Amino acid sequence: MLDKNGIAKRIAKEVKNGYYVNLGIGIPTLVANFVRDDIEVEFQSENGVLGMGPFPFEGEEDPDIINAGKQTITTLPGASFFDSAMSFSMIRGKHVDLTILGAMEVAENGDIANWKIPGKMVKGMGGAMDLVASAENIIVAMMHTNRAGASKLLKRCTLPLTGVGCVKKIVTNLAVIEVTPEGFKLLERAPGVSVEQIEDATEGKLIVEGEVPEMVL
């Protein structure tokens, strides 16, 4: 079973040389720490940063350099800063190759709910609606179940939707799953996790074909 860093480390393997990547709030922000050193990747944050690096070491934080989640970050040589209009032009213009988001629920048809829990006050959907509407390659980083043990990979989302039919792949603490027209397809299982455990933790339709390999981090 993976922890949050393990999920981020596995997702980092999906990042290819030359990619422009947007990292959402939560687990996705950890991905920048695990990208291979032999490839060039530009991480974008919708608050107006292109060229994000790993999180700073304690004592080296600059409070003026933050990501969309208000966490302090580092920047790589050649990084640039710009306003929200420019940032969302990049997103809406489909200039981002890969978007990595957190989620509270994902449905078997690729719907995602990640912005609001009814009854809880939120300021708004924020950039999530632009990201899911514009991105062609969305990977979700999430825990497979909630704190009560209920599945977060559902037949249909119960929370207000952020986007419809947009998620391509999900990496959880239990598995790597592809979203297909037929439902969730199990690609890899986390170290020490059985197929049966994944099936029990998944409410939506789960397709298992042959022997499922254990993921390599």
Side-chain angles (χ1 to χ4, degrees), residues 2 10 19-21 24 38 49 60 62 67 77 80 106 123 147 152 173 198 206:
L2 304 180
R10 174 58 186 82
Y19 266 18
Y20 289 86
V21 182
D38 62 335
V49 185
E60 298 180 3
D62 184 338
N67 61 21
S80 58
V106 176
K123 295 179 180 178
R147 292 177 182 176
K152 296 168 69 173
N173 55 321
I198 299 166
L206 185 67

Side-chain angles (χ1 to χ4, degrees), residues 72-149:
T72 54
I73 57 171
T74 61
T75 54
L76 301 177
S80 58
F81 303 91
F82 35 85
D83 62 16
S84 290
M86 178 66 73
S87 178
F88 281 95
S89 292
M90 294 177 183
I91 294 168
R92 294 171 183 170
K94 300 184 184 296
H95 302 294
V96 176
D97 298 295
L98 174 62
T99 297
I100 304 170
L101 298 173
M104 291 178 280
E105 294 178 348
V106 176
E108 62 186 36
N109 66 341
D111 293 352
I112 180 173
N114 77 343
W115 75 281
K116 183 179 182 180
I117 298 175
K120 299 287 183 70
M121 189 178 76
V122 293
K123 295 179 180 178
M125 190 181 288
M129 61 180 178
D130 293 274
L131 290 166
V132 299
S134 305
E136 296 181 351
N137 188 9
I138 296 175
I139 296 177
V140 168
M142 65 190 295
M143 292 297 172
H144 212 101
T145 59
N146 61 26
R147 292 177 182 176

Side-chain angles (χ1 to χ4, degrees), residues 25-41:
I25 295 170
I27 298 174
T29 60
L30 300 171
V31 173
N33 295 335
F34 299 104
V35 172
R36 286 172 20 218
D37 294 331
D38 62 335
I39 64 174
E40 293 187 8
V41 179

